[in-house]
Amino acid sequence: MKASPPRLDRLPVWALLAASLAPLAMGCTEEPSGGAAPEASCAYVVEYDGRRYLGRAETDVPVGKSLGAATRAGCDDTPGDGDDGEGPALMTAFAVRGVDPGVAIAVAEDTDAYRLVVADTVKELPPELRQLTDPS
């Protein structure tokens, strides 16, 4: 005697949902084609003066005076891979000319490169920052 497949109208809704999502979950765990390692996914987060700032791509930032020490959060985006990732990094924070440091600062990544970081509480960039971030 051959077993008949289960009737869909008798399966609980959660079982149908789980069955339909399983292939998607498995696709997320596959290694990229060619065996290449995935790229780092840690956010660029800086802490300065009790605030959290989120990194932006801009590195051509008009800096003002030095504000003191800032700390970039550590990153271990691939736990269990045999290394400890990057630990926190001590950096120097600088004022961005024309911008309140409570809104945005620049941090020294290198001797001649400064990265713009914006307070995580900022929802919309003020005009003075839009001029820096929008080349048009």
Side-chain angles (χ1 to χ4, degrees), residues 2-135:
K2 187 175 180 183
S4 61
R7 291 185 42 192
L8 294 179
D9 62 342
R10 292 191 180 180
L11 287 176
V13 173
W14 62 265
L16 291 173
L17 181 61
S20 65
L21 293 178
L24 295 175
M26 294 178 113
C28 293
T29 60
E30 291 180 10
E31 187 173 309
S33 62
E39 292 195 24
S41 60
C42 291
Y44 195 94
V45 178
V46 173
E47 292 186 17
Y48 166 74
D49 196 29
R51 294 183 194 93
R52 287 173 32 110
Y53 294 81
L54 304 176
R56 296 194 39 110
E58 290 82 12
T59 56
D60 187 16
V61 180
V63 296
K65 69 177 183 169
S66 172
L67 298 173
T71 305
R72 188 183 73 218
C75 174
D76 186 8
D77 64 344
T78 52
D81 68 347
D83 74 18
D84 293 330
E86 290 182 17
L90 188 59
M91 313 176 96
T92 302
F94 291 87
V96 175
R97 284 190 218 132
V99 179
D100 177 357
V103 173
I105 58 174
V107 291
E109 288 198 311
D110 206 346
T111 55
D112 295 328
Y114 303 93
R115 184 164 182 174
L116 179 65
V117 290
V118 177
D120 67 352
T121 57
V122 173
K123 303 297 180 217
E124 185 175 326
L125 293 179
E128 60 271 15
L129 270 181
R130 279 196 302 256
Q131 291 174 354
L132 294 174
T133 61
D134 187 13

